[in-house]
Amino acid sequence: VQLVESGGGSVQAGGSLRLSCEVSGITEGTNCIGWFRQDPGKEREGVAAIMILGATTYYADSVKGRFTISQDNAKNMVYLQVNSLKAEDTAMYYCAAGRNAGAQCMTAAGMSYWGQGTQVTVS
């Protein structure tokens, strides 16, 4: 499984970005795609996840109402629309694929495949 993120950048507080994750080589049993973020010195945290079948979504409380995860299966893409950005959203954002079920897709330890990350900086 390969995941390639794009769409990060530097924005002012209140701004928006759309992060993209191109997914290829999905293996049988891979159930979900998640978006995670990590700031230096902090643990990697799950912000949103989507089940590949059924498109059920999950969000961290800190981003509910501001971030939206979606998928376009025809294009093998997963997106994270991030709105009303705050300084505390600054981090490297990663997408990941895993065999977890449900809200466990928000747990970094349970994800099997990771992209290289895309930086989001909010000033």
Side-chain angles (χ1 to χ4, degrees):
V1 179
Q2 290 187 320
L3 305 105
V4 180
E5 304 95 333
S6 61
S10 296
V11 297
Q12 292 186 338
S16 299
L17 288 170
R18 189 175 81 156
L19 309 184
S20 299
C21 176
E22 183 176 5
V23 184
S24 61
I26 286 287
T27 57
E28 184 177 351
T30 301
N31 294 325
C32 61
I33 304 294
W35 280 97
F36 295 79
R37 65 186 181 187
Q38 187 171 25
D39 227 3
K42 296 182 179 179
E43 291 188 1
R44 190 167 295 189
E45 64 168 337
V47 295
I50 188 166
M51 303 305 293
I52 294 173
L53 296 179
T56 301
T57 57
Y58 302 88
Y59 296 94
D61 288 342
S62 59
V63 307
K64 280 181 181 176
R66 300 189 299 122
F67 290 13
T68 303
I69 189 171
S70 61
Q71 63 185 0
D72 184 336
N73 290 337
K75 296 181 179 179
N76 295 324
M77 299 292 293
V78 175
Y79 304 102
L80 185 69
Q81 179 69 39
V82 296
N83 297 329
S84 302
L85 282 162
K86 306 174 182 180
E88 52 263 43
D89 294 319
T90 294
M92 185 71 79
Y93 283 71
Y94 301 88
C95 64
R99 297 171 177 262
N100 292 342
Q104 290 301 310
C105 293
M106 300 277 288
T107 304
M111 303 301 272
S112 303
Y113 307 99
W114 292 85
Q116 82 289 348
T118 186
Q119 178 69 37
V120 172
T121 303
V122 185
S123 58

